[in-house]
Amino acid sequence: MNATLRFDDSSITVALVGCGGFIGCHLLRALLERTQWRIFGVDLDSYRIQEFLSNSRFEFLSADLAEPAVVERIARYPVVVNLAAICTPGRYMAEAAEVIRSNYNHPAALADACAQSGSWLIHFSTSEIYGKTAADSSALVEDESEIVLGPVTASRWSYATAKLLTERYLTGLAGLNWTVVRPFNFVGPYMDFMPGVDGEGIPRVLANFSTALVRGESLKLVNGGVAKRCFTSVHDAVDFVFCLFANANVAIGEAFNVGNAENELSIADLAQMMRLVYASIKGKSESDVPGIEVVSGEAYYGKGYDDSMRRLPSVEKALRLLGFKAIVPLKVSLEESLRWFIGHYEV
Ligand code: UDP
């Protein structure tokens, strides 16, 4: 692997696994706009990336990592970014086995193939690997924090368990050039889906609250909305990946948090902020937008639901090794996301 991948080097092809998903569609756009590279993209869905399908520098394969021939083909490219995953908590309980296949078996097979071919595998893991963090927990540090997951009967942790095992597999696999990315609640346009329109079940909180606002239904606060998250713009996430590309020599063999600690707030405060942003976009007064309703986690998601009470990233390592810091304020991301959501789904 070259220490630096030049963005004007048209001989480079990058494989983007999950190119049709939320993060993938933004990264694909940025790669086509900001580099001269070719992109080999793999996904089951392409509705978010229709506008790129005719681009001569983009080749799209509709497939998934369950097929060994697809894995083998992806690993022929020198840089592989793996974004593919089942990553909505609404599915971690009822579909635990499929969640584990998607988040361990498939990426482990891709890692094996990349170890064989010598490709650099940039694997998107999750901040959820830090587990069942308490409300008073301190900042999560990549190479230091202790990890506690809930009991096996709390199947919420199926996802974290699989993602953590994948990280351990990558670090233990002889000959693999790996980098692990741990996203902290990325938000932006194209995140998840609207239930009953382009997906089923419960999406993550941004899409769920956006759906409620657009449909005029109350925003459901799980267990009172006291859990805290650090919401991070998907545009910051894309910039982070470019920092990796520009610093392969220091990024290989490292795991990085990608999060915006300055955006930390409780889910109850997020609900209120989204109500106000929605009211302002629509020119309504606050009393005319849907209100808030408290629901229990088990009643809402099903048996086995559990939660992390605080997910605060240490952002020091990304700054020190890559010069990266997430900068987009939450209000800016919410305005962008809600405007997009309204334009995309509201009739
Ligand atoms: N949550 C909520 N209402 C919703 C969806 C989620 O109160 O409609 C809560 C959820 O219980 C968790 C937080 O919002 O505390 C973030 O949930 P999300 O599903 O977005 O992902 P997570 O960060 O838990 O992986």
Side-chain angles (χ1 to χ4, degrees):
M1 176 55 51
N2 289 331
T4 308
L5 296 165
R6 288 180 49 122
F7 296 127
D8 62 356
D9 182 348
S10 58
S11 71
I12 293 174
T13 302
V14 170
L16 207 54
V17 184
C19 65
F22 161 51
I23 306 169
C25 72
H26 290 280
L27 186 53
L28 175 61
R29 173 188 297 280
L31 284 168
L32 290 171
E33 285 178 359
R34 297 194 221 162
T35 77
Q36 295 302 315
W37 300 351
R38 293 179 175 278
I39 317 299
F40 174 65
V42 179
D43 209 310
L44 290 169
D45 285 334
S46 61
Y47 76 89
R48 293 182 178 92
I49 54 170
Q50 286 297 312
E51 65 185 290
F52 308 121
L53 293 178
S54 58
N55 190 306
S56 61
R57 288 192 289 122
F58 178 49
E59 182 185 354
F60 178 68
L61 178 69
S62 176
D64 79 7
L65 291 178
E67 294 172 48
V70 173
V71 170
E72 190 271 326
R73 184 163 169 206
I74 293 165
R76 283 186 217 156
Y77 297 98
V79 182
V80 175
V81 183
N82 185 13
L83 298 150
I86 295 176
C87 54
T88 40
R91 300 177 67 182
Y92 303 166
M93 284 69 68
E95 298 175 62
E98 194 51 35
V99 166
I100 291 166
R101 274 192 284 275
S102 153
N103 287 296
Y104 173 67
N105 300 62
H106 299 168
L110 181 60
D112 284 336
C114 289
Q116 287 270 318
S117 65
S119 305
W120 176 22
L121 176 61
I122 299 174
H123 176 75
F124 271 66
S125 182
T126 173
S127 52
E128 185 143 330
I129 64 102
Y130 291 109
K132 191 175 167 151
T133 48
D136 63 353
S137 58
S138 47
L140 300 160
V141 185
E142 289 93 334
D143 305 312
E144 289 175 23
S145 289
E146 305 286 341
I147 294 170
V148 177
L149 299 176
V152 171
T153 44
S155 41
R156 155 71 193 247
W157 305 109
S158 59
Y159 173 69
T161 305
K163 284 284 201 189
L164 185 57
L165 184 57
T166 297
E167 287 200 22
R168 293 203 184 283
Y169 191 73
L170 300 190
T171 59
L173 191 57
L176 179 68
N177 293 317
W178 61 270
T179 298
V180 159
V181 182
R182 297 178 183 156
F184 280 70
N185 291 80
F186 292 170
V187 287
Y190 288 106
M191 199 230 182
D192 284 355
F193 54 89
M194 181 185 244
V197 175
D198 52 0
E200 296 302 331
I202 304 174
R204 284 169 289 180
V205 68
L206 175 85
N208 222 13
F209 286 172
S210 304
T211 298
L213 288 165
V214 162
R215 288 191 169 151
E217 296 166 356
S218 57
L219 283 65
K220 307 284 191 305
L221 273 190
V222 171
N223 298 333
V226 294
K228 289 182 176 171
R229 296 289 189 270
C230 296
F231 293 93
T232 306
S233 168
V234 72
H235 304 303
D236 279 325
V238 166
D239 287 346
F240 173 81
V241 179
F242 275 74
C243 284
L244 289 182
F245 290 144
N247 294 281
N249 53 338
V250 290
I252 288 174
E254 300 289 348
F256 293 96
N257 291 339
V258 180
N260 189 331
E262 288 159 26
N263 283 345
E264 183 176 53
L265 84 178
S266 71
I267 302 303
D269 287 343
L270 173 76
Q272 182 55 10
M273 201 168 177
M274 287 183 69
R275 290 182 70 244
L276 295 177
V277 170
Y278 185 76
S280 136
I281 292 172
K282 300 295 284 182
K284 294 184 175 190
S285 65
E286 189 195 338
S287 55
D288 289 333
V289 298
I292 282 166
E293 178 188 337
V294 171
V295 295
S296 95
E298 283 229 343
Y300 194 55
Y301 286 109
K303 197 166 157 32
Y305 184 71
D306 201 352
D307 208 353
S308 308
M309 299 319 288
R310 187 179 197 204
R311 247 186 232 160
L312 177 69
S314 161
V315 297
E316 186 275 332
K317 184 174 176 182
L319 187 60
R320 177 168 42 86
L321 293 187
L322 304 172
F324 171 81
K325 189 173 191 300
I327 53 170
V328 182
L330 180 56
K331 186 139 182 283
V332 172
S333 288
L334 292 183
E335 272 165 7
E336 182 196 16
S337 303
L338 268 170
R339 276 188 201 283
W340 175 84
F341 202 91
I342 292 164
H344 195 75
Y345 293 107
E346 203 170 62
V347 282

